[in-house]
Amino acid sequence: MRIRRCKLLYLEPRERVGFDLGNLLAGGDGTARTLEWFALAPHGPVEVQVPAHLRELLGRLSPEQWVDPAQLPGLSAPDLEWLLEQGLVVSDAEPHTPQRQRDEAIRADHWHPLSALAHGLTRWTDVDAVEAMRTSGTETAPKMRQVLGAPPPERVLRADAGPPLALPRAQPSGFDQLLRSRTTCRNFDRGRALGLDQLAQLLERVFAAHGSVQVAEDTVFLKKSSPSGGGLHPVECYLLARDVDGLAAGPYHYDPLEHALRALPPPQLPLEELLLRGLAAQHWFCDAHALAILAPRYGRNFWKYRNHCKAYRAVLLEAGHLSQTLYLAAAEAGLGAFVTCAINEACLDQALGLEPMREGVLAVCGFGWRAAEMTTAEFDPAGKVWQGTRAVG
């Protein structure tokens, strides 16, 4: 067996502070301060406290050159096994294939190190976002104000700016009305199915390719309705259909060239449970008739922007463009829509068979018929959807 250090690894020093009675009695401030080191590796994907002797060993190991562990003095068999289990060290032996493959995915796709770290270590596994709000007492806007204090002001008035120059307001058009009707929907009608033609229209407007350019036998660029860094369009759409006429409930992959859905193997969890877990217990979003899961193929973007500090930001911008286009398409069709990144990515990645550092879930959009009554509070300050109701909870 040969080993090497994982490709991307950061070591962070942290100070742990505790009460020390002896220090207080001796005239000190009563605190004991301990330095701890944590290893942060994006393919992990959890941070791990590292003993000092292994920290030094990791510093000496090459991320590129394979070595025989017997050549490393002071490396015990238990320490080696622990490093391999955590993925801080990878080996070419069969039992450690999963960790090695996750590490190789990062190498192959040309991630910028800091972007990979942010992506890998901000994914959720079993978070209950609703319970977190309840526990912190921040489930409504008034409670947020009470717990968190006043937010930064809603607008900026610079002291060094001149007097305001009033701009003319245009006559409202149909597009203006569409923009003003865009709100996040938290109340979906469970008693009414979405038509297949309506689903198809939204998918075509948001995710379909409306043109293509082939610059080489194996190099094709697509034209879609939303902008994409370098014209690469790496964000894939995976559909979770819940209540669509003529479409079996379950997961699908959308083909932007053929404008077609391809059914995927059924997930291990029942669909309703998968939705609740994947959406971090945000039950109001689970009621949507269809959910479009945004899952970028990072290698597609990083093929051009290799190890580029802005490449990951371009992917995030694209996801934002797609979600806004979906909002507008849904509003025009008389449907409600949402987008959320408060999701348990690990659950959804597993259900769709995705490797998170290659094609991991980034955000979830959903759409469907609005319910007749607002049972979960929505932000609708202009009162365009709920006819003057100004719920801000």
Side-chain angles (χ1 to χ4, degrees), residues 123 238 293 295 348-357 359-361:
R123 298 170 66 249
Y238 288 88
I293 298 176
L348 296 172
D349 285 336
Q350 183 179 26
L352 297 173
L354 303 178
E355 165 54 50
M357 298 304 294
E359 190 185 6
V361 174

Side-chain angles (χ1 to χ4, degrees), residues 38-292:
F38 284 81
L40 312 176
H43 68 289
V46 294
E47 55 191 37
V48 181
Q49 186 176 351
V50 179
H53 70 288
L54 294 183
R55 181 192 72 214
E56 299 302 322
L57 173 70
L58 288 169
R60 295 196 304 269
L61 268 177
S62 168
E64 306 296 340
Q65 182 180 4
W66 293 98
V67 298
D68 185 336
Q71 299 175 355
L72 301 173
L75 178 60
S76 67
D79 282 345
L80 175 59
E81 188 60 31
W82 183 83
L83 290 169
L84 289 168
E85 288 178 0
Q86 303 303 324
L88 306 179
V89 167
V90 295
S91 87
D92 58 3
E94 181 65 26
H96 307 118
T97 297
Q99 290 283 24
R100 184 179 70 254
Q101 288 179 336
R102 287 194 288 270
D103 179 61
E104 289 173 348
I106 294 177
R107 296 171 186 265
D109 284 347
H110 310 289
W111 277 90
H112 185 273
L114 295 178
S115 297
L117 193 67
H119 175 74
L121 294 182
T122 56
R123 298 170 66 249
W124 287 357
T125 300
D126 288 310
V127 173
D128 186 326
V130 177
E131 181 60 31
M133 288 189 291
R134 291 197 192 103
T135 302
S136 62
T138 57
E139 62 264 46
T140 67
K143 288 184 177 181
M144 280 193 290
R145 170 61 181 85
Q146 183 179 357
V147 172
L148 304 176
E154 71 281 3
R155 63 171 179 167
V156 174
L157 295 175
R158 292 188 48 146
D160 59 349
L165 174 62
L167 300 173
R169 292 188 179 272
Q171 289 296 318
S173 67
F175 184 63
D176 294 302
Q177 296 300 323
L178 178 63
L179 289 173
R180 293 167 187 172
S181 66
R182 184 214 60 78
T183 62
T184 293
C185 181
R186 292 185 173 185
N187 298 272
F188 292 95
D189 186 351
R190 290 295 300 261
R192 182 182 182 188
L194 185 68
L196 183 60
D197 56 341
Q198 292 160 320
L199 171 75
Q201 182 187 68
L202 258 71
L203 292 178
E204 184 174 12
R205 287 179 169 178
V206 181
F207 299 107
H210 305 296
S212 64
V213 177
Q214 184 165 349
V215 298
E217 184 178 352
D218 57 358
T219 307
V220 178
F221 292 87
L222 303 178
K223 171 68 174 69
K224 297 186 180 182
S225 55
S226 295
S228 175
L232 295 166
H233 295 286
V235 178
E236 295 289 313
C237 171
Y238 288 88
L239 186 79
L240 283 179
R242 191 185 60 76
D243 193 3
V244 180
D245 274 336
L247 190 64
Y252 296 83
H253 180 235
Y254 177 70
D255 186 329
L257 278 171
E258 295 188 15
H259 182 46
L261 290 171
R262 292 185 170 88
L264 297 176
Q268 295 180 352
L269 295 175
L271 183 59
E272 296 293 334
E273 183 179 348
L274 173 62
L275 292 174
L276 192 62
R277 287 184 59 182
L279 291 169
Q282 298 174 96
H283 53 85
W284 47 84
F285 290 150
C286 298
D287 288 341
H289 299 66
L291 294 94

